[in-house]
Amino acid sequence: MTDRNLTFIIPYKKDCEDRETNLITVTHYLLHNFEANVIVLEADEKESISSILPEDERLTTLFVPLKRGEIFYRTKYLNMMLERVKTPVVANYDVDVLLDPRAVEEATNSILNDTFDVVYPYESPFDGENKIYANAGQVRLFLPFDHKVIMDKKLYEHPHKLVEETKNILGEGCILTPQQVAENADNGEGRMFSFHEDKWTHLGYAPWSTLAGHCQFVNTKKYFEYFMENEEFVGWGPEDAERLNRFIKLGARISYLSGGIVFHMEHKHPLESGKGNSHFKNNESLWKDIQEITTREEYREKYLSWDYYEKYDHELNPYRKVSVENE
């Protein structure tokens, strides 16, 4: 199977109960549907994933201790997992999304066949004039039931099972279709709900779109050549958009899957995932500076001025510092 050439890397922190449910669902979904390897890195005050995830030789778990209040350093954790990848294709995978298995196969094959370097497994966010728009490549699932229901009903087998069962239990209001997501985002609005005591509460509106996050399939060798994840971005910020911008500027062959959909499982949002992140202003300022870079040479010079990737001693990393003993 082609997905034996694929590794999913997933950073995780239990910042709310929803996240744990998301992780359990996603891990079972990946191990059930694919022969791929899965690496999960948990960063938190206490380790928890060893007691909630299944035992499987394809699954590797890592733990990074965090002090109370310490920021979740997502870009660094992704690089720590990327260093361990031994397959030609890697998927940078968010803990709260599911994909149609056919999209995984198509994305993986297009990289193995050397057709593309990077594949986003959902509809393109660009129109014919390369203007970004809020596309219809996302279904949002509001899942108030816990992982026991998901496991007992084996809803992890396919995202469509989750969609149908959620409708059966909670009704149509708990699902935002791709069209509704697109319409709300195009209007600068997106519905946000909370489920409590068997009632849905409309909390307000938020902009949603599918541009550069959720999941990306990348040629592993190219991932290193394109400077991995940029660890100058700390915590939450524009790192997804920066990554896409960098891939484009460095000449990556990028594809979006026509008709591809992300099944996005809803969850509470901790303060640090937004402007509450103490590094938010620095991240925004850095992103603004990077957008001023226009040529590949300038990009290379800028990224070589940072040394985060030099500590990753992976044979595919063209920027590593190799000791004389190892040469």
PDB file of all heavy atoms in Angstrom, residues 293-320:
ATOM      1  N   ILE A 293      10.020  39.625   1.650  1.00  0.00           N
ATOM      2  CA  ILE A 293      11.028  38.885   0.895  1.00  0.00           C
ATOM      3  C   ILE A 293      10.443  38.485  -0.456  1.00  0.00           C
ATOM      4  O   ILE A 293       9.331  37.966  -0.526  1.00  0.00           O
ATOM      5  CB  ILE A 293      11.476  37.630   1.669  1.00  0.00           C
ATOM      6  CG1 ILE A 293      12.033  38.022   3.044  1.00  0.00           C
ATOM      7  CG2 ILE A 293      12.522  36.848   0.871  1.00  0.00           C
ATOM      8  CD1 ILE A 293      12.379  36.827   3.920  1.00  0.00           C
ATOM      9  N   THR A 294      11.181  38.704  -1.515  1.00  0.00           N
ATOM     10  CA  THR A 294      10.638  38.464  -2.859  1.00  0.00           C
ATOM     11  C   THR A 294      11.365  37.385  -3.643  1.00  0.00           C
ATOM     12  O   THR A 294      10.775  36.758  -4.520  1.00  0.00           O
ATOM     13  CB  THR A 294      10.663  39.760  -3.684  1.00  0.00           C
ATOM     14  OG1 THR A 294      12.017  40.242  -3.757  1.00  0.00           O
ATOM     15  CG2 THR A 294       9.769  40.822  -3.043  1.00  0.00           C
ATOM     16  N   THR A 295      12.643  37.133  -3.370  1.00  0.00           N
ATOM     17  CA  THR A 295      13.412  36.183  -4.180  1.00  0.00           C
ATOM     18  C   THR A 295      13.839  34.971  -3.354  1.00  0.00           C
ATOM     19  O   THR A 295      13.895  35.023  -2.122  1.00  0.00           O
ATOM     20  CB  THR A 295      14.673  36.835  -4.756  1.00  0.00           C
ATOM     21  OG1 THR A 295      15.597  37.131  -3.684  1.00  0.00           O
ATOM     22  CG2 THR A 295      14.326  38.125  -5.492  1.00  0.00           C
ATOM     23  N   ARG A 296      14.163  33.890  -4.048  1.00  0.00           N
ATOM     24  CA  ARG A 296      14.637  32.685  -3.373  1.00  0.00           C
ATOM     25  C   ARG A 296      15.948  32.950  -2.646  1.00  0.00           C
ATOM     26  O   ARG A 296      16.192  32.426  -1.555  1.00  0.00           O
ATOM     27  CB  ARG A 296      14.839  31.559  -4.380  1.00  0.00           C
ATOM     28  CG  ARG A 296      13.565  31.068  -5.050  1.00  0.00           C
ATOM     29  CD  ARG A 296      13.839  29.861  -5.937  1.00  0.00           C
ATOM     30  NE  ARG A 296      12.699  29.545  -6.785  1.00  0.00           N
ATOM     31  CZ  ARG A 296      12.640  28.513  -7.608  1.00  0.00           C
ATOM     32  NH1 ARG A 296      13.681  27.689  -7.688  1.00  0.00           N
ATOM     33  NH2 ARG A 296      11.580  28.296  -8.355  1.00  0.00           N
ATOM     34  N   GLU A 297      16.812  33.751  -3.267  1.00  0.00           N
ATOM     35  CA  GLU A 297      18.095  34.053  -2.646  1.00  0.00           C
ATOM     36  C   GLU A 297      17.910  34.794  -1.321  1.00  0.00           C
ATOM     37  O   GLU A 297      18.585  34.495  -0.329  1.00  0.00           O
ATOM     38  CB  GLU A 297      18.937  34.905  -3.601  1.00  0.00           C
ATOM     39  CG  GLU A 297      19.415  34.176  -4.843  1.00  0.00           C
ATOM     40  CD  GLU A 297      18.298  33.932  -5.860  1.00  0.00           C
ATOM     41  OE1 GLU A 297      17.274  34.636  -5.778  1.00  0.00           O
ATOM     42  OE2 GLU A 297      18.449  33.045  -6.705  1.00  0.00           O
ATOM     43  N   GLU A 298      16.971  35.747  -1.312  1.00  0.00           N
ATOM     44  CA  GLU A 298      16.704  36.484  -0.074  1.00  0.00           C
ATOM     45  C   GLU A 298      16.113  35.564   0.990  1.00  0.00           C
ATOM     46  O   GLU A 298      16.429  35.677   2.183  1.00  0.00           O
ATOM     47  CB  GLU A 298      15.748  37.638  -0.352  1.00  0.00           C
ATOM     48  CG  GLU A 298      16.362  38.774  -1.163  1.00  0.00           C
ATOM     49  CD  GLU A 298      15.338  39.833  -1.525  1.00  0.00           C
ATOM     50  OE1 GLU A 298      14.177  39.482  -1.844  1.00  0.00           O
ATOM     51  OE2 GLU A 298      15.695  41.022  -1.476  1.00  0.00           O
ATOM     52  N   TYR A 299      15.245  34.638   0.547  1.00  0.00           N
ATOM     53  CA  TYR A 299      14.672  33.679   1.483  1.00  0.00           C
ATOM     54  C   TYR A 299      15.764  32.823   2.103  1.00  0.00           C
ATOM     55  O   TYR A 299      15.815  32.630   3.325  1.00  0.00           O
ATOM     56  CB  TYR A 299      13.659  32.781   0.765  1.00  0.00           C
ATOM     57  CG  TYR A 299      12.246  32.995   1.229  1.00  0.00           C
ATOM     58  CD1 TYR A 299      11.353  33.783   0.504  1.00  0.00           C
ATOM     59  CD2 TYR A 299      11.792  32.415   2.412  1.00  0.00           C
ATOM     60  CE1 TYR A 299      10.056  33.975   0.922  1.00  0.00           C
ATOM     61  CE2 TYR A 299      10.496  32.613   2.837  1.00  0.00           C
ATOM     62  CZ  TYR A 299       9.632  33.384   2.094  1.00  0.00           C
ATOM     63  OH  TYR A 299       8.355  33.579   2.536  1.00  0.00           O
ATOM     64  N   ARG A 300      16.643  32.308   1.260  1.00  0.00           N
ATOM     65  CA  ARG A 300      17.713  31.450   1.754  1.00  0.00           C
ATOM     66  C   ARG A 300      18.597  32.215   2.747  1.00  0.00           C
ATOM     67  O   ARG A 300      18.932  31.697   3.819  1.00  0.00           O
ATOM     68  CB  ARG A 300      18.552  30.941   0.594  1.00  0.00           C
ATOM     69  CG  ARG A 300      19.718  30.061   1.016  1.00  0.00           C
ATOM     70  CD  ARG A 300      20.491  29.555  -0.198  1.00  0.00           C
ATOM     71  NE  ARG A 300      21.702  28.867   0.197  1.00  0.00           N
ATOM     72  CZ  ARG A 300      21.764  27.618   0.631  1.00  0.00           C
ATOM     73  NH1 ARG A 300      20.666  26.917   0.742  1.00  0.00           N
ATOM     74  NH2 ARG A 300      22.915  27.066   0.952  1.00  0.00           N
ATOM     75  N   GLU A 301      18.946  33.438   2.406  1.00  0.00           N
ATOM     76  CA  GLU A 301      19.790  34.251   3.291  1.00  0.00           C
ATOM     77  C   GLU A 301      19.108  34.494   4.630  1.00  0.00           C
ATOM     78  O   GLU A 301      19.749  34.418   5.688  1.00  0.00           O
ATOM     79  CB  GLU A 301      20.106  35.590   2.610  1.00  0.00           C
ATOM     80  CG  GLU A 301      21.015  36.487   3.437  1.00  0.00           C
ATOM     81  CD  GLU A 301      21.341  37.792   2.719  1.00  0.00           C
ATOM     82  OE1 GLU A 301      21.029  37.898   1.504  1.00  0.00           O
ATOM     83  OE2 GLU A 301      21.892  38.709   3.367  1.00  0.00           O
ATOM     84  N   LYS A 302      17.801  34.791   4.594  1.00  0.00           N
ATOM     85  CA  LYS A 302      17.060  35.061   5.822  1.00  0.00           C
ATOM     86  C   LYS A 302      17.024  33.829   6.707  1.00  0.00           C
ATOM     87  O   LYS A 302      17.290  33.896   7.915  1.00  0.00           O
ATOM     88  CB  LYS A 302      15.634  35.494   5.474  1.00  0.00           C
ATOM     89  CG  LYS A 302      14.772  35.845   6.692  1.00  0.00           C
ATOM     90  CD  LYS A 302      15.251  37.104   7.368  1.00  0.00           C
ATOM     91  CE  LYS A 302      14.305  37.542   8.460  1.00  0.00           C
ATOM     92  NZ  LYS A 302      14.760  38.777   9.143  1.00  0.00           N
ATOM     93  N   TYR A 303      16.720  32.677   6.117  1.00  0.00           N
ATOM     94  CA  TYR A 303      16.575  31.468   6.919  1.00  0.00           C
ATOM     95  C   TYR A 303      17.912  30.920   7.387  1.00  0.00           C
ATOM     96  O   TYR A 303      17.993  30.277   8.438  1.00  0.00           O
ATOM     97  CB  TYR A 303      15.769  30.419   6.151  1.00  0.00           C
ATOM     98  CG  TYR A 303      14.283  30.680   6.270  1.00  0.00           C
ATOM     99  CD1 TYR A 303      13.671  31.668   5.508  1.00  0.00           C
ATOM    100  CD2 TYR A 303      13.513  30.005   7.199  1.00  0.00           C
ATOM    101  CE1 TYR A 303      12.327  31.950   5.639  1.00  0.00           C
ATOM    102  CE2 TYR A 303      12.160  30.274   7.340  1.00  0.00           C
ATOM    103  CZ  TYR A 303      11.573  31.247   6.557  1.00  0.00           C
ATOM    104  OH  TYR A 303      10.245  31.537   6.707  1.00  0.00           O
ATOM    105  N   LEU A 304      18.957  31.163   6.638  1.00  0.00           N
ATOM    106  CA  LEU A 304      20.280  30.752   7.092  1.00  0.00           C
ATOM    107  C   LEU A 304      20.789  31.636   8.228  1.00  0.00           C
ATOM    108  O   LEU A 304      21.759  31.287   8.901  1.00  0.00           O
ATOM    109  CB  LEU A 304      21.275  30.769   5.923  1.00  0.00           C
ATOM    110  CG  LEU A 304      21.113  29.633   4.913  1.00  0.00           C
ATOM    111  CD1 LEU A 304      22.054  29.825   3.730  1.00  0.00           C
ATOM    112  CD2 LEU A 304      21.351  28.284   5.564  1.00  0.00           C
ATOM    113  N   SER A 305      20.153  32.774   8.443  1.00  0.00           N
ATOM    114  CA  SER A 305      20.525  33.627   9.574  1.00  0.00           C
ATOM    115  C   SER A 305      19.980  33.074  10.889  1.00  0.00           C
ATOM    116  O   SER A 305      20.394  33.487  11.969  1.00  0.00           O
ATOM    117  CB  SER A 305      20.013  35.057   9.364  1.00  0.00           C
ATOM    118  OG  SER A 305      18.599  35.131   9.472  1.00  0.00           O
ATOM    119  N   TRP A 306      19.032  32.140  10.787  1.00  0.00           N
ATOM    120  CA  TRP A 306      18.521  31.428  11.965  1.00  0.00           C
ATOM    121  C   TRP A 306      19.168  30.057  11.995  1.00  0.00           C
ATOM    122  O   TRP A 306      19.452  29.456  10.967  1.00  0.00           O
ATOM    123  CB  TRP A 306      17.000  31.285  11.895  1.00  0.00           C
ATOM    124  CG  TRP A 306      16.269  32.593  11.890  1.00  0.00           C
ATOM    125  CD1 TRP A 306      16.514  33.673  12.683  1.00  0.00           C
ATOM    126  CD2 TRP A 306      15.162  32.962  11.048  1.00  0.00           C
ATOM    127  NE1 TRP A 306      15.636  34.689  12.390  1.00  0.00           N
ATOM    128  CE2 TRP A 306      14.784  34.282  11.402  1.00  0.00           C
ATOM    129  CE3 TRP A 306      14.432  32.312  10.051  1.00  0.00           C
ATOM    130  CZ2 TRP A 306      13.741  34.964  10.786  1.00  0.00           C
ATOM    131  CZ3 TRP A 306      13.384  32.977   9.437  1.00  0.00           C
ATOM    132  CH2 TRP A 306      13.048  34.283   9.804  1.00  0.00           C
ATOM    133  N   ASP A 307      19.365  29.511  13.187  1.00  0.00           N
ATOM    134  CA  ASP A 307      20.106  28.252  13.282  1.00  0.00           C
ATOM    135  C   ASP A 307      19.287  27.110  13.867  1.00  0.00           C
ATOM    136  O   ASP A 307      19.846  26.088  14.247  1.00  0.00           O
ATOM    137  CB  ASP A 307      21.373  28.441  14.115  1.00  0.00           C
ATOM    138  CG  ASP A 307      21.088  28.938  15.528  1.00  0.00           C
ATOM    139  OD1 ASP A 307      19.886  29.094  15.872  1.00  0.00           O
ATOM    140  OD2 ASP A 307      22.045  29.163  16.280  1.00  0.00           O
ATOM    141  N   TYR A 308      17.966  27.259  13.933  1.00  0.00           N
ATOM    142  CA  TYR A 308      17.165  26.232  14.597  1.00  0.00           C
ATOM    143  C   TYR A 308      17.297  24.859  13.926  1.00  0.00           C
ATOM    144  O   TYR A 308      17.295  23.828  14.594  1.00  0.00           O
ATOM    145  CB  TYR A 308      15.691  26.656  14.644  1.00  0.00           C
ATOM    146  CG  TYR A 308      15.017  26.820  13.301  1.00  0.00           C
ATOM    147  CD1 TYR A 308      14.467  25.735  12.632  1.00  0.00           C
ATOM    148  CD2 TYR A 308      14.941  28.074  12.695  1.00  0.00           C
ATOM    149  CE1 TYR A 308      13.854  25.890  11.396  1.00  0.00           C
ATOM    150  CE2 TYR A 308      14.324  28.236  11.464  1.00  0.00           C
ATOM    151  CZ  TYR A 308      13.787  27.139  10.815  1.00  0.00           C
ATOM    152  OH  TYR A 308      13.186  27.297   9.584  1.00  0.00           O
ATOM    153  N   TYR A 309      17.415  24.844  12.584  1.00  0.00           N
ATOM    154  CA  TYR A 309      17.422  23.566  11.871  1.00  0.00           C
ATOM    155  C   TYR A 309      18.752  22.835  11.991  1.00  0.00           C
ATOM    156  O   TYR A 309      18.844  21.638  11.726  1.00  0.00           O
ATOM    157  CB  TYR A 309      17.085  23.770  10.380  1.00  0.00           C
ATOM    158  CG  TYR A 309      17.847  24.902   9.752  1.00  0.00           C
ATOM    159  CD1 TYR A 309      19.159  24.740   9.340  1.00  0.00           C
ATOM    160  CD2 TYR A 309      17.245  26.142   9.588  1.00  0.00           C
ATOM    161  CE1 TYR A 309      19.857  25.791   8.785  1.00  0.00           C
ATOM    162  CE2 TYR A 309      17.951  27.189   9.034  1.00  0.00           C
ATOM    163  CZ  TYR A 309      19.242  27.016   8.635  1.00  0.00           C
ATOM    164  OH  TYR A 309      19.942  28.062   8.094  1.00  0.00           O
ATOM    165  N   GLU A 310      19.818  23.546  12.401  1.00  0.00           N
ATOM    166  CA  GLU A 310      21.131  22.916  12.475  1.00  0.00           C
ATOM    167  C   GLU A 310      21.208  21.839  13.553  1.00  0.00           C
ATOM    168  O   GLU A 310      22.066  20.972  13.503  1.00  0.00           O
ATOM    169  CB  GLU A 310      22.208  23.971  12.713  1.00  0.00           C
ATOM    170  CG  GLU A 310      22.378  24.921  11.529  1.00  0.00           C
ATOM    171  CD  GLU A 310      23.405  25.999  11.803  1.00  0.00           C
ATOM    172  OE1 GLU A 310      23.803  26.138  12.977  1.00  0.00           O
ATOM    173  OE2 GLU A 310      23.808  26.690  10.856  1.00  0.00           O
ATOM    174  N   LYS A 311      20.300  21.917  14.520  1.00  0.00           N
ATOM    175  CA  LYS A 311      20.357  20.932  15.607  1.00  0.00           C
ATOM    176  C   LYS A 311      19.660  19.628  15.241  1.00  0.00           C
ATOM    177  O   LYS A 311      19.710  18.651  15.989  1.00  0.00           O
ATOM    178  CB  LYS A 311      19.727  21.504  16.875  1.00  0.00           C
ATOM    179  CG  LYS A 311      18.261  21.869  16.784  1.00  0.00           C
ATOM    180  CD  LYS A 311      17.762  22.397  18.126  1.00  0.00           C
ATOM    181  CE  LYS A 311      16.306  22.847  18.057  1.00  0.00           C
ATOM    182  NZ  LYS A 311      16.168  24.129  17.384  1.00  0.00           N
ATOM    183  N   TYR A 312      19.008  19.590  14.064  1.00  0.00           N
ATOM    184  CA  TYR A 312      18.314  18.372  13.642  1.00  0.00           C
ATOM    185  C   TYR A 312      19.227  17.565  12.722  1.00  0.00           C
ATOM    186  O   TYR A 312      19.389  17.876  11.555  1.00  0.00           O
ATOM    187  CB  TYR A 312      16.994  18.728  12.963  1.00  0.00           C
ATOM    188  CG  TYR A 312      16.048  19.431  13.914  1.00  0.00           C
ATOM    189  CD1 TYR A 312      15.816  20.801  13.817  1.00  0.00           C
ATOM    190  CD2 TYR A 312      15.413  18.726  14.939  1.00  0.00           C
ATOM    191  CE1 TYR A 312      14.972  21.443  14.700  1.00  0.00           C
ATOM    192  CE2 TYR A 312      14.571  19.368  15.824  1.00  0.00           C
ATOM    193  CZ  TYR A 312      14.354  20.723  15.702  1.00  0.00           C
ATOM    194  OH  TYR A 312      13.521  21.358  16.591  1.00  0.00           O
ATOM    195  N   ASP A 313      19.812  16.515  13.288  1.00  0.00           N
ATOM    196  CA  ASP A 313      20.839  15.752  12.582  1.00  0.00           C
ATOM    197  C   ASP A 313      20.205  14.659  11.733  1.00  0.00           C
ATOM    198  O   ASP A 313      20.400  13.467  11.953  1.00  0.00           O
ATOM    199  CB  ASP A 313      21.810  15.153  13.597  1.00  0.00           C
ATOM    200  CG  ASP A 313      23.034  14.548  12.923  1.00  0.00           C
ATOM    201  OD1 ASP A 313      23.374  14.991  11.819  1.00  0.00           O
ATOM    202  OD2 ASP A 313      23.635  13.636  13.517  1.00  0.00           O
ATOM    203  N   HIS A 314      19.415  15.070  10.771  1.00  0.00           N
ATOM    204  CA  HIS A 314      18.745  14.141   9.868  1.00  0.00           C
ATOM    205  C   HIS A 314      19.491  14.135   8.544  1.00  0.00           C
ATOM    206  O   HIS A 314      19.907  15.172   8.038  1.00  0.00           O
ATOM    207  CB  HIS A 314      17.298  14.580   9.649  1.00  0.00           C
ATOM    208  CG  HIS A 314      16.423  13.558   9.000  1.00  0.00           C
ATOM    209  ND1 HIS A 314      16.581  13.183   7.680  1.00  0.00           N
ATOM    210  CD2 HIS A 314      15.394  12.827   9.469  1.00  0.00           C
ATOM    211  CE1 HIS A 314      15.674  12.274   7.383  1.00  0.00           C
ATOM    212  NE2 HIS A 314      14.938  12.038   8.437  1.00  0.00           N
ATOM    213  N   GLU A 315      19.651  12.951   7.954  1.00  0.00           N
ATOM    214  CA  GLU A 315      20.431  12.835   6.720  1.00  0.00           C
ATOM    215  C   GLU A 315      19.834  13.641   5.571  1.00  0.00           C
ATOM    216  O   GLU A 315      20.540  13.992   4.618  1.00  0.00           O
ATOM    217  CB  GLU A 315      20.540  11.374   6.305  1.00  0.00           C
ATOM    218  CG  GLU A 315      19.216  10.709   6.000  1.00  0.00           C
ATOM    219  CD  GLU A 315      19.376   9.256   5.595  1.00  0.00           C
ATOM    220  OE1 GLU A 315      20.510   8.743   5.669  1.00  0.00           O
ATOM    221  OE2 GLU A 315      18.369   8.647   5.202  1.00  0.00           O
ATOM    222  N   LEU A 316      18.537  13.955   5.637  1.00  0.00           N
ATOM    223  CA  LEU A 316      17.899  14.744   4.579  1.00  0.00           C
ATOM    224  C   LEU A 316      18.019  16.237   4.817  1.00  0.00           C
ATOM    225  O   LEU A 316      17.638  17.031   3.960  1.00  0.00           O
ATOM    226  CB  LEU A 316      16.418  14.369   4.459  1.00  0.00           C
ATOM    227  CG  LEU A 316      16.112  12.931   4.050  1.00  0.00           C
ATOM    228  CD1 LEU A 316      14.609  12.723   3.956  1.00  0.00           C
ATOM    229  CD2 LEU A 316      16.776  12.588   2.723  1.00  0.00           C
ATOM    230  N   ASN A 317      18.553  16.624   5.967  1.00  0.00           N
ATOM    231  CA  ASN A 317      18.671  18.038   6.288  1.00  0.00           C
ATOM    232  C   ASN A 317      19.943  18.612   5.656  1.00  0.00           C
ATOM    233  O   ASN A 317      21.050  18.324   6.113  1.00  0.00           O
ATOM    234  CB  ASN A 317      18.705  18.221   7.805  1.00  0.00           C
ATOM    235  CG  ASN A 317      18.723  19.693   8.211  1.00  0.00           C
ATOM    236  OD1 ASN A 317      18.767  20.578   7.364  1.00  0.00           O
ATOM    237  ND2 ASN A 317      18.681  19.947   9.499  1.00  0.00           N
ATOM    238  N   PRO A 318      19.821  19.422   4.612  1.00  0.00           N
ATOM    239  CA  PRO A 318      21.017  19.943   3.931  1.00  0.00           C
ATOM    240  C   PRO A 318      21.744  21.015   4.725  1.00  0.00           C
ATOM    241  O   PRO A 318      22.835  21.425   4.346  1.00  0.00           O
ATOM    242  CB  PRO A 318      20.446  20.522   2.629  1.00  0.00           C
ATOM    243  CG  PRO A 318      19.057  20.932   2.983  1.00  0.00           C
ATOM    244  CD  PRO A 318      18.578  19.904   3.972  1.00  0.00           C
ATOM    245  N   TYR A 319      21.157  21.450   5.842  1.00  0.00           N
ATOM    246  CA  TYR A 319      21.744  22.548   6.601  1.00  0.00           C
ATOM    247  C   TYR A 319      22.340  22.104   7.931  1.00  0.00           C
ATOM    248  O   TYR A 319      22.782  22.927   8.722  1.00  0.00           O
ATOM    249  CB  TYR A 319      20.684  23.616   6.868  1.00  0.00           C
ATOM    250  CG  TYR A 319      19.930  24.000   5.626  1.00  0.00           C
ATOM    251  CD1 TYR A 319      18.618  23.608   5.439  1.00  0.00           C
ATOM    252  CD2 TYR A 319      20.546  24.736   4.616  1.00  0.00           C
ATOM    253  CE1 TYR A 319      17.928  23.937   4.284  1.00  0.00           C
ATOM    254  CE2 TYR A 319      19.864  25.067   3.453  1.00  0.00           C
ATOM    255  CZ  TYR A 319      18.558  24.664   3.293  1.00  0.00           C
ATOM    256  OH  TYR A 319      17.880  24.991   2.150  1.00  0.00           O
ATOM    257  N   ARG A 320      22.352  20.797   8.189  1.00  0.00           N
ATOM    258  CA  ARG A 320      22.856  20.313   9.470  1.00  0.00           C
ATOM    259  C   ARG A 320      24.367  20.510   9.558  1.00  0.00           C
ATOM    260  O   ARG A 320      25.067  20.526   8.541  1.00  0.00           O
ATOM    261  CB  ARG A 320      22.512  18.838   9.655  1.00  0.00           C
ATOM    262  CG  ARG A 320      23.151  17.915   8.635  1.00  0.00           C
ATOM    263  CD  ARG A 320      22.839  16.467   8.930  1.00  0.00           C
ATOM    264  NE  ARG A 320      23.414  15.605   7.895  1.00  0.00           N
ATOM    265  CZ  ARG A 320      23.685  14.321   8.071  1.00  0.00           C
ATOM    266  NH1 ARG A 320      23.467  13.773   9.227  1.00  0.00           N
ATOM    267  NH2 ARG A 320      24.188  13.609   7.084  1.00  0.00           N
TER     268      ARG A 320
END
